[in-house]
Amino acid sequence: MDADRDPGPPSVVPAEPGSHLRPARFELPLPGRVAYPMVVAMVGATILLRSEIAVTFQQRPLLILFVPPIIAAALLGGLGPGLLATALTGIGVAWFVLPAGLFSQNLYLHDLVQWMVLVGSGVMVSLLSAALLRARLTAETRQRTLAVTLDSIGDAVIATDTAGRVTFLNPVAARMTGWSEDEAVGQPLGRVLCLLSEHDRKPVDDPVALVMASGSVVGLPGNTVLLARDGREIPVHDSAAPIFRADGRVVGVVLVFQDDTGRRESERNLAHERLLLRQLIDTVPDMVWLKDTDGRYLACNPPFERMMGAPEIGLVGRTDADFVSPRQAAWFRAQDRRALEAGGSIAFEEWLTLASEGGREVLVETIKTPMRDSDGQVIGVLGVARDVTARRAADETVRRTTAQLSRVVSSVPGMIYDYGQKPDGSEGLLYVSDYCREIFEVEPDAAVADPWVLRQLMEADDSTRMREAQRIAADCNS
């Protein structure tokens, strides 16, 4: 496409709807107040003209002279004036032109035939002219309606002939290109509509040439920008289509394009958000996956890929039954359904086999949550699983160690207690051995909950020594 641009300043004159099809000053048919007097005058003038020249032609009727007034009356005034001209001509010829008169026995047969042909032709011309005028008015009305429609729509529209020269430009296209319709008509399309690739800044293929070559609708690449006459760059999205005549021959091309700035900005924002979300999912050390309501995988992250022993592209569109035993697949599916039926998150623990680690089994804590679209409709299930095998082993070790220590402490002949700062920041007993039950007949848990229970049972000196020992222990811990 020719990317030359007019170096002159932009000059865009907003066009009124249908301005390119403004009616001419001399409209047809003429109004009756003009047409009917004109008919009388033309017929009278013709009769006078025939009288003046009849001597030269040996007083012959010269009926051919009356044909132009009839045709002119029919073309300019329509059916009524045409029929009036025919009637006045017929009467005028009968009374003033035919030598013997229309009803005379001396009338020549050929004169009568000429008179009848004249009147019949006048009626026929009037009828045909009226039909032509109706067809013309209908076509103009439809053309004006089409023009107003094209001028009023929100899309930019440019039409060209088969040579690629602009024949029409609506106001939206004028604003976007910087060319008024008067300036653009007759110009090569590449001069008015300068289209470049957003990436390499090269001109895109000529849409008119593409349409003429294919004979069908073509669209521009998605990264096209319009370089306006004033230097603005506008992202556009458009299509071009051939204009056919009734016989099927292509007579031009119409281009419809839109300002694509908002849509492309939204697409860039959406792509950025998707990238951030993808990075977030891929960075999470837990296993993350998404299924549709039928149990088919839609997406997952690398930890889940390692667990399944397959890349995401190999998982998408497939179900658990394609990777695990029927029994385990049924268990997974049952948990999916449970989350869907609950309408919210469910959490549970399950043993999984890591395909990427030789079949090693791990205990995971799984959370499954129904996923919903913007309308609130459930579209699938989001799963997040964390390996808690090491944590469970550590908890078991702590439990066994605590049990052993409890047995050792319980065997000591005396009450053992631990005094320090509690989780809420206050100071008090943290642990009391079972020997508390034998000495004070108080349950160890009750003593931990309220140290005054023990102090009330002690002698004053013992209580003082206990508080002193607790203060020293607290100072040491701090």
Side-chain angles (χ1 to χ4, degrees):
M1 176 180 288
D2 183 8
D4 293 341
R5 296 174 53 244
D6 188 350
S11 175
V12 179
V13 179
E16 298 177 0
S19 60
H20 56 287
L21 288 176
R22 289 190 182 95
R25 294 180 180 178
F26 185 70
E27 287 197 22
L28 297 179
L30 295 176
R33 66 179 183 275
V34 176
Y36 290 109
M38 182 188 69
V39 168
V40 175
M42 285 193 303
V43 173
T46 305
I47 293 174
L48 293 176
L49 175 64
R50 184 265 170 194
S51 299
E52 292 294 329
I53 65 175
V55 176
T56 306
F57 293 93
Q58 301 177 358
Q59 296 297 327
R60 298 189 62 82
L62 300 178
L63 299 187
I64 191 67
L65 295 176
F66 295 92
V67 174
I70 294 176
I71 295 176
L75 291 178
L76 297 177
L79 180 62
L83 292 177
L84 177 61
T86 301
L88 292 178
T89 297
I91 295 172
V93 168
W95 285 98
F96 302 108
V97 175
L98 295 180
L102 181 64
F103 303 103
S104 173
Q105 294 181 353
N106 297 324
L107 179 66
Y108 293 107
L109 179 60
H110 67 274
D111 289 338
L112 176 61
V113 171
Q114 288 185 62
W115 181 86
M116 295 176 63
V117 170
L118 176 63
V119 173
S121 298
V123 172
M124 184 177 298
V125 168
S126 299
L127 294 174
L128 290 176
S129 296
L132 288 175
L133 282 174
R134 285 196 300 271
R136 178 174 171 270
L137 290 175
T138 301
E140 287 184 353
T141 300
R142 294 173 65 180
Q143 194 168 9
R144 288 194 182 100
T145 301
L146 177 61
V148 171
T149 301
L150 292 176
D151 286 350
S152 302
I153 63 176
D155 295 340
V157 180
I158 296 179
T160 73
D161 57 20
T162 54
R165 294 191 174 275
V166 176
T167 58
F168 170 75
L169 187 88
N170 77 340
V172 179
R175 287 194 297 270
M176 292 180 65
T177 62
W179 289 76
S180 69
E181 184 178 11
D182 293 339
E183 294 172 321
V185 170
Q187 296 286 344
L189 178 64
R191 187 177 181 84
V192 177
L193 187 67
C194 182
L195 300 174
L196 305 176
S197 170
E198 191 173 22
H199 298 324
D200 57 18
R201 313 298 298 171
K202 293 181 179 179
V204 302
D205 294 333
D206 184 357
V208 174
L210 294 176
V211 169
M212 296 302 296
S214 64
S216 59
V217 179
V218 299
L220 287 179
N223 59 343
T224 303
V225 295
L226 165 64
L227 184 59
R229 195 178 184 185
D230 58 4
R232 291 173 296 139
E233 290 191 6
I234 307 172
V236 293
H237 172 76
D238 83 337
S239 62
I243 302 174
F244 293 101
R245 278 198 334 189
D247 59 3
R249 189 166 68 89
V250 177
V251 295
V253 175
V254 59
L255 296 95
V256 181
F257 54 98
Q258 303 170 329
D259 185 340
D260 210 27
T261 304
R263 187 179 68 87
R264 292 196 193 176
E265 183 66 23
S266 298
E267 287 182 350
R268 283 193 290 267
N269 292 337
L270 181 60
H272 181 64
E273 291 176 0
R274 287 179 175 174
L275 178 61
L276 289 178
L277 180 59
R278 185 76 236 188
Q279 291 175 338
L280 175 63
I281 294 176
D282 290 346
T283 305
V284 171
D286 297 334
M287 293 175 281
V288 181
W289 66 95
L290 177 63
K291 297 178 183 177
D292 63 18
T293 54
D294 295 323
R296 290 186 294 267
Y297 285 104
L298 300 175
C300 68
N301 68 345
F304 189 79
E305 291 177 330
R306 291 192 292 271
M307 190 275 290
M308 296 295 288
E312 182 181 31
I313 192 173
L315 289 167
V316 172
R318 305 173 71 180
T319 66
D320 292 313
D322 297 318
F323 300 95
V324 299
S325 65
R327 181 177 181 181
Q328 193 169 31
W331 159 259
F332 291 155
R333 186 61 181 148
Q335 301 311 308
D336 292 342
R337 290 196 183 98
R338 192 158 69 92
L340 293 173
E341 293 172 357
S345 299
I346 62 171
F348 55 91
E349 292 184 349
E350 58 184 339
W351 287 92
L352 299 179
T353 301
L354 299 181
S356 61
E357 298 185 19
R360 181 174 69 89
E361 290 190 344
V362 295
L363 179 67
V364 296
E365 181 181 66
T366 301
I367 300 175
K368 291 192 173 182
T369 306
M371 293 290 293
R372 302 178 185 275
D373 60 16
S374 58
D375 296 326
Q377 299 296 318
V378 176
I379 59 173
V381 177
L382 173 67
V384 180
R386 173 173 296 179
D387 185 352
V388 295
T389 307
R391 190 185 70 186
R392 175 61 64 86
D395 291 345
E396 183 63 22
T397 299
V398 171
R399 187 190 64 78
R400 289 197 302 268
T401 302
T402 302
Q404 292 174 357
L405 180 61
S406 179
R407 288 195 296 271
V408 171
V409 171
S410 298
S411 64
V412 174
M415 187 182 76
I416 298 176
Y417 65 90
D418 182 17
Y419 184 87
Q421 190 175 37
K422 293 184 177 182
D424 61 2
S426 63
E427 293 182 352
L429 293 173
L430 303 177
Y431 169 78
V432 177
S433 66
D434 292 343
Y435 215 83
C436 174
R437 190 181 299 112
E438 296 185 18
I439 298 176
F440 297 104
E441 296 182 352
V442 175
E443 292 295 326
D445 292 341
V448 171
D450 186 5
W452 287 102
V453 173
L454 298 181
R455 292 174 183 174
Q456 291 174 359
L457 300 176
M458 293 180 185
E459 296 291 338
D461 294 341
D462 293 336
S463 178
T464 300
R465 285 194 297 272
M466 182 177 181
R467 287 197 299 272
E468 181 64 21
Q470 291 171 353
R471 185 187 62 78
I472 294 173
D475 292 341
C476 292
N477 290 334
S478 62

